[in-house]
Amino acid sequence: MKLPPLVQAFVLHFGEMGSRWGINRTVGQIYALLYIAPEPLCADDMVDQLGFSRSNVSIGLKELQSWNLVRLLHQPDDRRDFYTTPDDIWQIVRTLVEERKKREVDPTLSVLRELLMQTPGTAEERHAQDRMREMHELIELLCGWYDDVRRMETERLVQLLSMGAKVQKILEMKDRLFTLPGGKRKDKEG
């Protein structure tokens, strides 16, 4: 690698973490390099700086494009393709979450819906469907929450995330406000 020590440490770490996130090390390192690069890079720049083969860089770039995590740019008077990441880190996170949802959560929901529509033939299948229904309801709840959060402006999302445990205190206050003497709830939702 032909990178300054600080940059190399980040790129290497991102490659290792990438393998834990479900992408290969090479793709993680390419993305890390593009993310911190001050200017868009062409594949030749990445080959030179990372020491990867041209084919590995091309495959990695195609994968990153399929995840919508890199942008293709063209420079005046240069026929090569240049790549960069979105400038807004929140856009990157939103894209990652959306792509993971499409690839992992949505197919799981489809399978669960299909299995829940089937008529169970045994007590074991009824039990299995009950468990699947719990999972389906939880995933649907999380997807609903995600849809609400996804539409939030970044500033509002940062405020929400900054609240942390304060949200729990707000919920406790709400519970106190809506509880009658004797422990009965004022609202019907519980």
Side-chain angles (χ1 to χ4, degrees), residues 125-141:
E125 286 184 339
R126 278 190 292 284
H127 174 76
Q129 271 191 332
D130 288 343
R131 300 290 289 171
M132 286 182 240
R133 191 170 291 105
E134 289 176 9
M135 182 182 290
H136 179 263
E137 289 171 0
L138 174 62
I139 294 172
E140 285 284 2
L141 181 66

Side-chain angles (χ1 to χ4, degrees), residues 49-173:
Q49 292 180 36
L50 295 171
F52 296 158
S53 70
R54 182 75 158 84
S55 62
N56 277 349
V57 169
S58 294
I59 291 168
L61 288 169
K62 284 181 180 148
E63 183 167 343
L64 290 168
Q65 285 177 303
S66 77
W67 280 80
N68 295 312
L69 289 172
V70 295
R71 293 183 319 199
L72 173 65
L73 302 171
H74 292 100
Q75 305 286 352
D77 300 322
D78 195 328
R79 295 180 56 183
R80 297 176 298 175
D81 292 335
F82 287 81
Y83 299 88
T84 188
T85 64
D87 293 329
D88 181 6
I89 187 75
W90 289 97
Q91 181 59 44
I92 294 169
V93 170
R94 283 181 166 104
T95 300
L96 270 171
V97 172
E98 184 63 30
E99 288 296 322
R100 291 206 82 126
K101 181 182 176 296
K102 278 194 280 189
R103 295 164 189 249
E104 298 167 23
V105 176
D106 292 347
T108 300
L109 278 175
S110 293
V111 168
L112 286 170
R113 283 186 200 110
E114 196 175 296
L115 294 171
L116 289 170
M117 291 178 63
Q118 295 179 19
T119 304
T122 65
E124 185 177 3
E125 286 184 339
R126 278 190 292 284
H127 174 76
Q129 271 191 332
D130 288 343
R131 300 290 289 171
M132 286 182 240
R133 191 170 291 105
E134 289 176 9
M135 182 182 290
H136 179 263
E137 289 171 0
L138 174 62
I139 294 172
E140 285 284 2
L141 181 66
L142 290 170
C143 286
W145 176 82
Y146 164 71
D147 286 339
D148 291 343
V149 168
R150 181 174 54 118
R151 288 188 287 271
M152 282 185 180
E153 295 175 13
T154 299
E155 289 176 18
R156 190 59 99 183
L157 183 56
V158 170
Q159 287 176 343
L160 176 65
L161 293 174
S162 298
M163 289 180 75
K166 294 173 191 167
V167 172
Q168 175 67 22
K169 291 179 181 172
I170 291 169
L171 292 173
E172 289 170 359
M173 184 183 306

Side-chain angles (χ1 to χ4, degrees), residues 22-65:
I23 60 172
N24 74 41
R25 182 180 54 85
T26 302
V27 173
Q29 289 180 358
I30 291 169
Y31 195 76
L33 179 64
L34 287 172
Y35 177 74
I36 60 175
E39 302 291 328
L41 300 175
C42 67
D44 293 334
D45 295 334
M46 290 176 250
V47 166
D48 183 50
Q49 292 180 36
L50 295 171
F52 296 158
S53 70
R54 182 75 158 84
S55 62
N56 277 349
V57 169
S58 294
I59 291 168
L61 288 169
K62 284 181 180 148
E63 183 167 343
L64 290 168
Q65 285 177 303

